Amino acid sequence: MAIKKEADIQNNPNIIDIDLSSIEKKQYRINGDNTKIIELNPSDMNIITRLSEVYGKLKGLETDFKELENINIDADNEEGFTQLSDKVKAIDNKMREYVDYLFDYPVSEICAGNGSMYDPIDGKLRYEHIIEVLAGLYETNINSEIKKVQARMKKHTSKYTHK
Protein backbone atom coordinates (compact mmCIF):
# COMPACT_ATOMS: atom_id res chain seq x y z
CA MET A 1 0.00 0.00 0.00
CA ALA A 2 1.46 3.33 -1.05
CA ILE A 3 1.57 6.22 1.37
CA LYS A 4 -0.47 9.13 0.06
CA LYS A 5 0.79 12.68 0.21
CA GLU A 6 -1.08 15.18 2.36
CA ALA A 7 -2.04 17.31 -0.66
CA ASP A 8 -3.53 14.28 -2.45
CA ILE A 9 -5.56 13.39 0.62
CA GLN A 10 -6.89 16.92 1.17
CA ASN A 11 -8.06 17.22 -2.43
CA ASN A 12 -9.76 13.81 -2.58
CA PRO A 13 -13.56 14.21 -2.47
CA ASN A 14 -14.02 10.44 -2.00
CA ILE A 15 -12.62 10.41 1.53
CA ILE A 16 -15.37 10.27 4.12
CA ASP A 17 -14.65 11.89 7.47
CA ILE A 18 -15.79 10.20 10.67
CA ASP A 19 -15.85 11.79 14.09
CA LEU A 20 -14.37 9.76 16.94
CA SER A 21 -13.59 12.78 19.12
CA SER A 22 -15.89 11.46 21.85
CA ILE A 23 -13.40 8.68 22.59
CA GLU A 24 -10.41 10.98 22.95
CA LYS A 25 -8.95 11.94 26.29
CA LYS A 26 -10.63 14.84 28.09
CA GLN A 27 -8.68 17.86 29.28
CA TYR A 28 -8.84 18.96 32.91
CA ARG A 29 -7.48 22.23 34.30
CA ILE A 30 -5.90 22.01 37.75
CA ASN A 31 -6.95 24.73 40.21
CA GLY A 32 -8.01 27.09 37.41
CA ASP A 33 -4.40 27.38 36.19
CA ASN A 34 -4.19 27.37 32.38
CA THR A 35 -0.61 26.12 32.56
CA LYS A 36 -1.72 23.00 34.44
CA ILE A 37 -3.74 20.88 32.05
CA ILE A 38 -3.91 17.10 32.23
CA GLU A 39 -5.51 14.73 29.74
CA LEU A 40 -7.37 11.69 31.02
CA ASN A 41 -9.75 9.14 29.60
CA PRO A 42 -12.35 8.90 32.39
CA SER A 43 -13.97 5.96 30.59
CA ASP A 44 -10.77 3.91 30.66
CA MET A 45 -11.73 0.63 32.30
CA ASN A 46 -8.07 -0.44 32.22
CA ILE A 47 -7.48 1.85 35.18
CA ILE A 48 -8.74 -1.08 37.26
CA THR A 49 -6.01 -3.32 35.85
CA ARG A 50 -3.34 -0.67 36.33
CA LEU A 51 -4.51 -0.06 39.90
CA SER A 52 -4.29 -3.76 40.72
CA GLU A 53 -0.76 -3.77 39.28
CA VAL A 54 0.50 -0.79 41.29
CA TYR A 55 -1.55 -0.86 44.50
CA GLY A 56 0.88 -3.10 46.38
CA LYS A 57 3.80 -1.09 45.06
CA LEU A 58 2.22 2.16 46.27
CA LYS A 59 1.72 0.69 49.74
CA GLY A 60 5.27 -0.69 49.69
CA LEU A 61 6.66 2.76 48.97
CA GLU A 62 4.58 4.17 51.81
CA THR A 63 6.18 1.59 54.12
CA ASP A 64 9.64 2.47 52.76
CA PHE A 65 8.92 6.13 53.44
CA LYS A 66 7.88 5.43 57.03
CA GLU A 67 11.12 3.50 57.58
CA LEU A 68 13.12 6.64 56.81
CA GLU A 69 12.62 7.71 60.41
CA ASN A 70 15.16 5.02 61.34
CA ILE A 71 17.97 6.90 59.59
CA ASN A 72 20.08 8.74 62.14
CA ILE A 73 20.29 12.41 61.25
CA ASP A 74 21.71 15.12 63.44
CA ALA A 75 23.94 18.14 63.05
CA ASP A 76 27.09 15.99 63.19
CA ASN A 77 25.89 13.29 60.78
CA GLU A 78 26.13 14.69 57.26
CA GLU A 79 26.21 11.17 55.82
CA GLY A 80 22.87 10.34 57.45
CA PHE A 81 21.33 13.51 56.04
CA THR A 82 22.63 12.70 52.55
CA GLN A 83 21.35 9.13 52.86
CA LEU A 84 17.93 10.39 53.95
CA SER A 85 17.77 12.93 51.12
CA ASP A 86 18.74 10.33 48.49
CA LYS A 87 16.15 7.84 49.74
CA VAL A 88 13.36 10.43 49.91
CA LYS A 89 14.10 11.48 46.34
CA ALA A 90 14.21 7.87 45.08
CA ILE A 91 10.93 6.96 46.79
CA ASP A 92 9.26 10.14 45.53
CA ASN A 93 10.42 9.47 41.96
CA LYS A 94 9.10 5.89 42.10
CA MET A 95 5.77 7.11 43.50
CA ARG A 96 5.46 9.62 40.65
CA GLU A 97 6.16 6.84 38.15
CA TYR A 98 3.40 4.65 39.63
CA VAL A 99 0.83 7.46 39.79
CA ASP A 100 1.60 8.47 36.19
CA TYR A 101 1.24 4.84 35.09
CA LEU A 102 -2.06 4.53 36.95
CA PHE A 103 -3.60 7.45 35.06
CA ASP A 104 -1.73 6.80 31.79
CA TYR A 105 -0.53 10.40 31.82
CA PRO A 106 2.24 12.41 33.56
CA VAL A 107 -0.14 13.78 36.20
CA SER A 108 2.47 13.94 38.96
CA GLU A 109 4.47 16.69 37.26
CA ILE A 110 1.38 18.85 36.92
CA CYS A 111 -0.49 17.96 40.10
CA ALA A 112 2.41 17.67 42.53
CA GLY A 113 4.73 20.24 41.04
CA ASN A 114 7.80 20.80 43.15
CA GLY A 115 6.27 19.19 46.21
CA SER A 116 6.89 15.66 47.36
CA MET A 117 4.26 13.00 46.80
CA TYR A 118 4.56 12.44 50.57
CA ASP A 119 3.75 15.97 51.68
CA PRO A 120 1.06 15.76 54.36
CA ILE A 121 -2.01 17.81 53.38
CA ASP A 122 -5.22 17.83 55.42
CA GLY A 123 -4.45 14.48 57.02
CA LYS A 124 -3.54 12.75 53.75
CA LEU A 125 -0.36 12.41 51.80
CA ARG A 126 -0.20 14.37 48.55
CA TYR A 127 -0.26 11.25 46.38
CA GLU A 128 -3.37 9.97 48.17
CA HIS A 129 -5.17 13.24 47.54
CA ILE A 130 -4.22 13.23 43.84
CA ILE A 131 -5.34 9.63 43.36
CA GLU A 132 -8.59 10.18 45.24
CA VAL A 133 -9.59 13.27 43.24
CA LEU A 134 -8.60 11.89 39.84
CA ALA A 135 -10.03 8.42 40.47
CA GLY A 136 -13.29 10.15 41.39
CA LEU A 137 -13.49 11.45 37.81
CA TYR A 138 -13.32 7.88 36.55
CA GLU A 139 -15.85 6.57 39.08
CA THR A 140 -18.38 9.29 38.29
CA ASN A 141 -17.97 8.96 34.53
CA ILE A 142 -17.99 5.16 34.44
CA ASN A 143 -21.11 4.98 36.62
CA SER A 144 -22.86 7.51 34.37
CA GLU A 145 -21.85 5.67 31.21
CA ILE A 146 -22.94 2.29 32.59
CA LYS A 147 -26.40 3.74 33.32
CA LYS A 148 -26.58 5.02 29.75
CA VAL A 149 -25.59 1.61 28.38
CA GLN A 150 -28.19 -0.11 30.57
CA ALA A 151 -30.91 2.31 29.47
CA ARG A 152 -30.00 1.84 25.82
CA MET A 153 -29.97 -1.94 26.18
CA LYS A 154 -33.30 -1.90 28.02
CA LYS A 155 -34.84 0.19 25.25
CA HIS A 156 -33.79 -2.38 22.65
CA THR A 157 -34.55 -5.52 24.68
CA SER A 158 -37.71 -4.51 26.52
CA LYS A 159 -39.94 -5.86 23.79
CA TYR A 160 -38.34 -9.30 24.25
CA THR A 161 -38.29 -9.37 28.05
CA HIS A 162 -41.79 -8.98 29.43
CA LYS A 163 -42.15 -8.60 33.17
Side-chain angles (χ1 to χ4, degrees):
M1 184 168 127
I3 299 175
K4 297 187 181 226
K5 295 180 182 176
E6 182 72 26
D8 293 337
I9 293 171
Q10 286 181 354
N11 296 325
N12 186 340
N14 297 322
I15 295 177
I16 300 169
D17 287 317
I18 59 172
D19 182 5
L20 293 176
S21 61
S22 63
I23 63 173
E24 292 179 358
K25 290 184 174 185
K26 310 289 186 255
Q27 293 185 332
Y28 298 89
R29 182 179 14 252
I30 306 302
N31 300 328
D33 186 338
N34 289 329
T35 65
K36 294 183 177 184
I37 305 291
I38 60 174
E39 294 182 7
L40 303 175
N41 174 4
S43 295
D44 180 6
M45 295 296 287
N46 282 326
I47 193 169
I48 297 165
T49 303
R50 292 191 302 273
L51 180 59
S52 72
E53 292 171 359
V54 300
Y55 183 78
K57 295 174 183 178
L58 294 171
K59 289 301 178 188
L61 287 176
E62 193 173 308
T63 300
D64 292 348
F65 190 78
K66 289 176 184 174
E67 290 176 1
L68 294 177
E69 66 186 30
N70 297 330
I71 296 176
N72 181 23
I73 55 168
D74 57 38
D76 298 327
N77 186 0
E78 187 175 324
E79 183 179 318
F81 185 75
T82 300
Q83 182 184 12
L84 176 66
S85 174
D86 291 346
K87 287 190 176 192
V88 166
K89 185 173 185 171
I91 293 170
D92 185 64
N93 287 339
K94 207 59 164 157
M95 176 60 71
R96 288 170 182 266
E97 178 185 322
Y98 294 151
V99 170
D100 291 349
Y101 174 73
L102 175 61
F103 293 105
D104 193 27
Y105 194 82
V107 298
S108 63
E109 179 181 335
I110 296 164
C111 296
N114 294 328
S116 162
M117 295 297 269
Y118 292 95
D119 293 345
I121 301 166
D122 292 330
K124 296 179 190 172
L125 300 176
R126 184 184 301 264
Y127 87 91
E128 293 173 313
H129 187 68
I130 291 169
I131 290 174
E132 183 178 294
V133 170
L134 297 183
L137 298 172
Y138 286 75
E139 181 180 1
T140 300
N141 187 68
I142 289 171
N143 287 337
S144 172
E145 291 298 326
I146 287 173
K147 287 178 184 174
K148 289 177 188 176
V149 168
Q150 289 171 337
R152 184 179 57 79
M153 289 176 67
K154 184 177 180 179
K155 177 181 171 188
H156 292 290
T157 61
S158 63
K159 59 185 168 188
Y160 303 110
T161 57
H162 301 290
K163 288 190 177 183

